[in-house]
Amino acid sequence: SSPTDNGASNHPNGTLQQLPQIIIIGVRKGGTRALIEMLSLHSTVAAAQNEVHFFDWESHFQKGLPWYLSQMPYAFPDQLTVEKTPAYFTSSKVPKRMYEMNPDIKLLLILRDPTERVLSDYTQVFYNRLQKHKRYQPIESVLVKDGEINLGYKALNRSLYYVHMQNWLQYFPLKSIHVVDGDELIRDPFPEMKKVETFLKLEPQLNGSNFYFNKTKGFYCLRDHGQERCLHDSKGRAHPHVAPAILQKLYKFFHEPNKKFFELVGRTFNWK
Ligand code: A3P
């Protein structure tokens, strides 16, 4: 394959690698895998399989755009390429770098209730450590220190959406960033995906029968040309029990930051 003017790289069967026109920037545990899988149901979308971490990992970024391009899936010329790396949203150097690649890129950001996202984040780290036979701390001892919310806990920072959104809005206009309601995507994915289709100006193709609720999984699964599949077992895990008093503290903690986020994006969400 050889690079062409638009940065695309050709393949004999008519497909080519292209830089993404769409990026799912986060948030970690927001439902980014569900979103990219659901978007892939659309025939004009070609999705990268893995998280690329181009803009946030120095060792990758230094390799430059040719390397980034080489990570992209082979797509037909009329398809749009999408990649997802949830860590982009919370990495402050990413917006400028992405803007310099393509100021007109379309960004998707999927968010969940910030408290729920913290619990999901904890659960992910918990299982990673369990797998590596490492020690882990019970949820309440990471959330609370000396009777107060432990501000040193990184997962809390990732849920301060307005802090990160401010960085993005330094470079991209609001109309370039579509916020997907991750709680709604769990509850009823089709309407949420219709909005994504509209934002991306895709020909309306997705329909209700692409999604069906699987009682065993406890989540919606996908139906693609009659083939049914659910997301991996690591998606949709039970969260640890947290004492109601601590949960209340968390809801209260996020109240102001949430308000700031709503003001930034001119829209509200049903967060506790
Ligand atoms: P939990 O496993 O904590 O419930 P990400 O892909 O960004 O890591 O997000 C994972 C989250 O996606 C899961 O968090 C789950 O709640 C959510 N999700 C949304 N739709 C889903 C679906 N159809 N199947 C499984 N998980 C889904």
Side-chain angles (χ1 to χ4, degrees):
S1 62
S2 62
T4 61
D5 288 337
N6 59 0
S9 158
N10 294 312
H11 194 256
N13 72 357
T15 59
L16 74 174
Q17 286 171 299
Q18 31 184 7
L19 290 174
Q21 295 92 344
I22 307 162
I23 300 183
I24 298 172
I25 58 175
V27 63
R28 175 179 152 101
K29 304 321 291 173
T32 55
R33 177 56 63 190
L35 178 57
I36 200 167
E37 294 286 320
M38 290 173 182
L39 196 52
S40 300
L41 292 168
H42 202 287
S43 67
T44 63
V45 171
Q49 289 298 309
N50 300 318
E51 295 181 2
V52 185
H53 285 283
F54 174 64
F55 297 99
D56 62 326
W57 286 2
E58 288 313 311
S59 60
H60 284 168
F61 190 68
Q62 278 165 15
K63 294 183 195 168
L65 288 177
W67 179 84
Y68 190 40
L69 181 61
S70 77
Q71 302 305 300
M72 293 302 140
Y74 282 90
F76 289 100
D78 65 336
Q79 285 187 308
L80 296 173
T81 293
V82 59
E83 74 119 330
K84 75 117 172 158
T85 300
Y88 288 161
F89 179 58
T90 53
S91 172
S92 59
K93 61 201 162 197
V94 171
K96 177 171 191 279
R97 290 174 170 184
M98 217 178 259
Y99 178 84
E100 283 166 0
M101 177 185 76
N102 178 3
D104 298 318
I105 194 150
K106 289 183 171 159
L107 305 176
L108 295 173
L109 170 64
I110 178 163
L111 299 178
R112 275 165 96 183
D113 182 295
T115 300
E116 202 57 38
R117 201 217 64 79
V118 168
L119 302 185
S120 179
D121 200 322
Y122 171 86
T123 305
Q124 161 125 345
V125 175
F126 173 91
Y127 279 104
N128 287 348
R129 295 188 72 86
L130 200 68
Q131 235 176 12
K132 294 181 192 158
H133 306 286
K134 287 191 182 168
R135 287 176 59 86
Y136 52 86
Q137 286 189 293
I139 176 92
E140 289 174 359
S141 68
V142 285
L143 284 176
V144 180
K145 217 173 159 183
D146 306 324
E148 289 305 318
I149 293 294
N150 173 18
L151 299 175
Y153 181 38
K154 269 201 202 129
L156 288 181
N157 176 274
R158 294 191 197 105
S159 280
L160 296 177
Y161 302 146
Y162 83 96
V163 171
H164 310 291
M165 194 65 176
Q166 277 171 343
N167 295 333
W168 287 89
L169 292 175
Q170 301 261 318
Y171 290 91
F172 294 96
L174 256 186
K175 69 169 172 39
S176 294
I177 312 174
H178 176 68
V179 184
V180 177
D181 186 329
D183 302 301
E184 279 300 309
L185 195 84
I186 292 174
R187 204 183 61 79
D188 189 9
F190 179 49
E192 213 45 43
M193 289 309 296
K194 288 294 287 178
K195 292 179 199 162
V196 174
E197 224 174 26
T198 304
F199 168 74
L200 297 174
K201 300 196 168 72
L202 300 178
E203 171 203 317
Q205 242 183 38
L206 301 181
N207 64 70
S209 66
N210 285 130
F211 309 96
Y212 70 96
F213 189 78
N214 182 308
K215 275 191 190 154
T216 316
K217 172 92 180 157
F219 282 84
Y220 273 87
C221 297
L222 286 66
R223 194 182 286 115
D224 193 2
H225 294 96
Q227 290 268 61
E228 297 184 342
R229 68 196 161 86
C230 299
L231 298 199
H232 189 261
D233 284 348
S234 65
K235 304 295 177 183
R237 290 185 285 217
H239 295 172
H241 174 79
V242 177
I246 296 177
L247 276 185
Q248 288 308 322
K249 266 199 198 323
L250 274 176
Y251 296 144
K252 213 174 133 203
F253 172 77
F254 284 118
H255 191 80
E256 276 304 308
N258 288 351
K259 242 174 75 182
K260 287 188 187 164
F261 179 77
F262 299 160
E263 276 162 24
L264 271 185
V265 297
R267 185 182 156 190
T268 61
F269 290 80
N270 264 327
W271 299 335
K272 292 202 193 86

